[in-house]
Amino acid sequence: MTLKASIIADRDFVIAPLDRRVFGTFVEHMGRCVYGGIYEPGHPTADEHGFRGDVLALTRELGVTIVRYPGGNFLSGYDWEDGVGPKDQRPVKLDLAWFTTETNQFGTNEFITWCRKAEVEPMFAVNLGTRGPDEARHFLEYCNHPGGTYYSELRKSHGFERPHDIKFWCLGNEMDGPWQTCAKTATEYGRIAQETGKVMKWVDPSIELAACGSSQRAMPTYAAWEYEVLDTCFDQVDYISLHHYMRNDANDIKEFFAEIESLDYFIKEVAAVADAVAAKRRSKKRIMLSLDEWNVWYKAHTPTDVKKPGWPEAPPLLEEIYNFEDALVVGGALIVMMNNADRVKAGCLAQLVNVIGPIFTETGGAAWRQTIFHPIADCTRLGHGEVLRLKVNTTTFESRAHGDIPHLLATAIHNPQTGDVSIFALNRSTEEAMDLSVDLRGLGEGLVMTASTELHHANLKQVNTKNDEAIRPSVNESARLSGSALTVVLKPQSWNVFALKPAR
């Protein structure tokens, strides 16, 4: 049996321009993400800064746009002053987030230098666990003020004449979580976020600020937390954060696919709460959403995956080995983010390398692409323009979590400057291929197809290794374009990408 599905995409029906910041990632002082990941002096590919050249190359290929730093749970006990200045004078300290020893050999200025080499925007966060507004304003002054003050001159003395000019700042991390160093109630956090945001914008009015939302949708204080926090710091912040990890504990691909729907509900619910706060004020201001931690994560979740005894330096932690079905779900999550482009304006896949990351390395050895690398790279390469509001006709399947769910999940992006069109489609049928027809209304009769690829494998549990990247895109030979009509056969449980441009 072959399923039937259709899409109508009209140039004049637009959800919103796609903010390229949704294609971000996350670097935390955790496990081998920094040490042995992006930074490894002595590695055969390391440059003069100690940055791994192979990881830099894969980061550029991945195409991520913004990177959140330095945490994560690590943030809530971090003193930013420990990570600047001469390396031989930096203190070695205990990290209570992951029960490791932090050498501070990599810090703010190293990260900024790495971002410039990786061609990404930095997203920084301030510690609102053990610290507060005073330390945050000093940190911002160190990073962004041009000169003539104590902290800006301190930056200059460390070899950075020009300001770092960091525009996006997070006000703490997961402050509702009891696992957080100095966790807070919504009342406590709302006040400290309000005052921190106030003084930071006094120092630099050009910055954008994200307040902490709930650590996950399942938190007992979910939604009430968002409302109270935003009701307190509404005037100071521009974003509310969301953190969402998708799991396959039941080893059931259909329920795993349903995890994608949970993300869509999460986004719409948080937007509704933010708008309720705005309505209370009769305000036209809209708080946007920053999905600044998200991924698939469920296998590397045992106590020994999270904590090693003896306060080690950079031990392997949360080193999730991704398989083919994980890549499909990551692709589906990206479609959901793009289809909510009117509210989701930033996103950070957690994390970049080794720690639940699309890039995996051997310390001292090779680096390679995990399975989830490919849908991310597809979207960063082709996700430019306006997200279209599609009319999708498709069959459904039943899930325990969300009832009937569409087999076809899709998005289309039109770039009005170039005329290019990109279509991303996930066939969530586990058994049937799908005959898909796409009517590209108003997008021109002279389109030509420049790419038609699929990510498919018979084994949902197939992984990539340093010797065999078995999961990688291949050409879908079935795609046909006639005028503004695209027809194609999507294999069962497959991720599909189509790129079109006007004929020249």
Side-chain angles (χ1 to χ4, degrees), residues 139-359:
F139 190 22
L140 177 60
E141 181 184 323
Y142 179 91
C143 290
N144 282 15
H145 197 67
T149 65
Y150 175 81
Y151 287 104
S152 60
E153 291 301 317
L154 182 64
R155 181 196 69 243
K156 290 184 179 183
S157 75
H158 295 157
F160 291 81
E161 181 71 23
R162 292 189 299 116
H164 296 330
D165 198 29
I166 302 159
K167 295 302 184 187
F168 199 119
W169 292 80
C170 304
L171 297 173
N173 174 76
E174 294 186 353
M175 296 309 301
D176 62 330
W179 56 85
Q180 206 69 209
T181 305
C182 298
K184 291 174 170 56
T185 66
T187 301
E188 292 167 337
Y189 173 71
R191 282 289 294 130
I192 197 171
Q194 179 188 47
E195 292 305 309
T196 304
K198 180 175 73 178
V199 298
M200 288 182 73
K201 287 198 171 181
W202 283 350
V203 172
D204 184 349
S206 72
I207 62 171
E208 298 172 282
L209 297 176
C212 288
S214 296
S215 301
Q216 54 181 296
R217 189 168 175 253
M219 294 295 288
T221 54
Y222 170 58
W225 170 279
E226 277 78 2
Y227 189 90
E228 182 170 353
V229 166
L230 287 177
D231 197 32
T232 305
C233 65
F234 183 87
D235 293 330
Q236 286 72 40
V237 303
D238 308 283
Y239 303 85
I240 186 80
S241 73
L242 298 80
H243 291 182
H244 185 74
Y245 291 101
M246 297 166 286
R247 305 174 63 91
N248 188 21
D249 297 311
N251 193 26
D252 182 331
I253 183 60
K254 291 184 178 181
E255 295 305 313
F256 197 17
F257 279 145
E259 290 276 291
I260 302 168
E261 305 302 304
S262 297
L263 174 59
D264 194 47
Y265 281 111
F266 193 8
I267 289 168
K268 288 178 169 59
E269 289 162 0
V270 172
V273 173
D275 289 350
V277 176
K280 179 183 176 182
R281 287 167 162 72
R282 289 82 166 169
S283 174
K284 293 181 180 179
K285 177 180 178 179
R286 288 296 174 263
I287 299 291
M288 295 301 169
L289 309 187
S290 175
L291 186 62
D292 54 33
E293 266 190 56
W294 73 274
N295 205 339
V296 167
W297 174 32
Y298 61 97
K299 294 184 284 291
H301 216 281
T302 67
T304 55
D305 288 319
V306 176
K307 178 182 176 182
K308 307 291 184 185
W311 301 95
E313 293 182 13
L317 296 177
L318 275 62
E319 298 201 348
E320 190 98 344
I321 304 302
Y322 289 106
N323 58 33
F324 173 55
E325 61 187 344
D326 298 332
L328 296 177
V329 171
V330 163
L334 287 162
I335 289 174
V336 165
M337 292 166 67
M338 290 186 279
N339 281 341
N340 284 281
D342 55 333
R343 298 310 289 267
V344 179
K345 299 298 183 179
C348 299
L349 183 95
Q351 296 181 16
L352 174 64
V353 54
N354 293 328
V355 180
I356 50 175
I359 301 170

Side-chain angles (χ1 to χ4, degrees), residues 439-448 481-485 501-503:
D439 182 0
L440 299 165
R441 293 182 179 176
L443 292 166
E445 293 293 322
L447 292 173
V448 295
L481 183 64
S482 177
S484 60
K501 69 176 183 180

Side-chain angles (χ1 to χ4, degrees), residues 6-172:
S6 65
I7 294 172
I8 299 173
D10 192 306
R11 180 186 61 188
D12 293 328
F13 290 86
V14 174
I15 296 173
L18 179 63
D19 194 316
R20 293 280 298 169
R21 281 175 167 172
V22 301
F23 301 133
T25 187
F26 178 30
V27 166
E28 180 174 3
H29 284 247
M30 177 187 182
R32 296 191 308 121
C33 187
V34 173
Y35 305 108
I38 66 173
Y39 177 75
E40 191 182 337
H43 188 272
T45 70
D47 64 12
E48 70 276 16
H49 303 287
F51 305 151
R52 284 186 61 148
D54 53 357
V55 173
L56 270 170
L58 286 173
T59 300
R60 295 188 196 103
E61 181 185 337
L62 188 63
V64 292
T65 54
I66 190 168
V67 183
R68 180 172 170 241
Y69 177 84
N73 295 350
F74 174 80
L75 173 69
S76 292
Y78 180 57
D79 298 327
W80 69 267
E81 301 92 336
D82 295 343
V84 299
K87 291 189 177 185
D88 60 359
Q89 297 176 24
R90 297 184 189 180
V92 176
K93 290 188 174 180
L94 298 181
D95 167 36
L96 300 184
W98 306 111
F99 296 91
T100 58
T101 297
E102 173 56 51
T103 66
N104 285 303
Q105 291 300 288
F106 187 98
T108 295
N109 296 322
E110 288 79 20
F111 180 69
I112 289 294
T113 302
W114 181 86
C115 284
R116 289 170 181 164
K117 287 209 161 198
E119 301 170 7
V120 298
E121 178 186 356
M123 176 193 292
F124 265 63
V126 295
N127 174 2
L128 295 186
T130 59
R131 309 193 81 179
D134 209 34
E135 294 84 6
R137 73 184 180 97
H138 293 158
F139 190 22
L140 177 60
E141 181 184 323
Y142 179 91
C143 290
N144 282 15
H145 197 67
T149 65
Y150 175 81
Y151 287 104
S152 60
E153 291 301 317
L154 182 64
R155 181 196 69 243
K156 290 184 179 183
S157 75
H158 295 157
F160 291 81
E161 181 71 23
R162 292 189 299 116
H164 296 330
D165 198 29
I166 302 159
K167 295 302 184 187
F168 199 119
W169 292 80
C170 304
L171 297 173

Side-chain angles (χ1 to χ4, degrees), residues 308-457:
K308 307 291 184 185
W311 301 95
E313 293 182 13
L317 296 177
L318 275 62
E319 298 201 348
E320 190 98 344
I321 304 302
Y322 289 106
N323 58 33
F324 173 55
E325 61 187 344
D326 298 332
L328 296 177
V329 171
V330 163
L334 287 162
I335 289 174
V336 165
M337 292 166 67
M338 290 186 279
N339 281 341
N340 284 281
D342 55 333
R343 298 310 289 267
V344 179
K345 299 298 183 179
C348 299
L349 183 95
Q351 296 181 16
L352 174 64
V353 54
N354 293 328
V355 180
I356 50 175
I359 301 170
F360 204 83
T361 74
E362 291 177 323
T363 299
W368 61 95
R369 304 164 192 82
Q370 291 232 63
T371 63
I372 65 170
F373 184 101
H374 296 294
I376 301 164
D378 286 337
C379 292
T380 62
R381 186 175 66 257
L382 296 172
H384 297 265
E386 298 174 336
V387 182
L388 302 181
R389 192 175 300 279
L390 305 183
K391 172 64 176 175
V392 178
N393 294 300
T394 179
T395 51
T396 62
F397 66 98
E398 186 176 353
S399 72
R400 293 187 298 275
H402 296 298
D404 287 342
I405 291 176
H407 277 124
L408 177 64
L409 183 61
T411 194
I413 300 171
H414 170 240
N415 188 330
Q417 279 72 49
T418 64
D420 293 355
V421 179
S422 303
I423 301 166
F424 305 94
L426 176 66
N427 180 7
R428 290 189 282 193
S429 172
T430 57
E431 298 174 357
E432 289 85 20
M434 177 182 292
D435 285 335
L436 173 63
S437 62
V438 184
D439 182 0
L440 299 165
R441 293 182 179 176
L443 292 166
E445 293 293 322
L447 292 173
V448 295
M449 192 178 308
T450 58
S452 171
T453 65
E454 61 187 7
L455 200 65
H456 176 75
H457 199 279

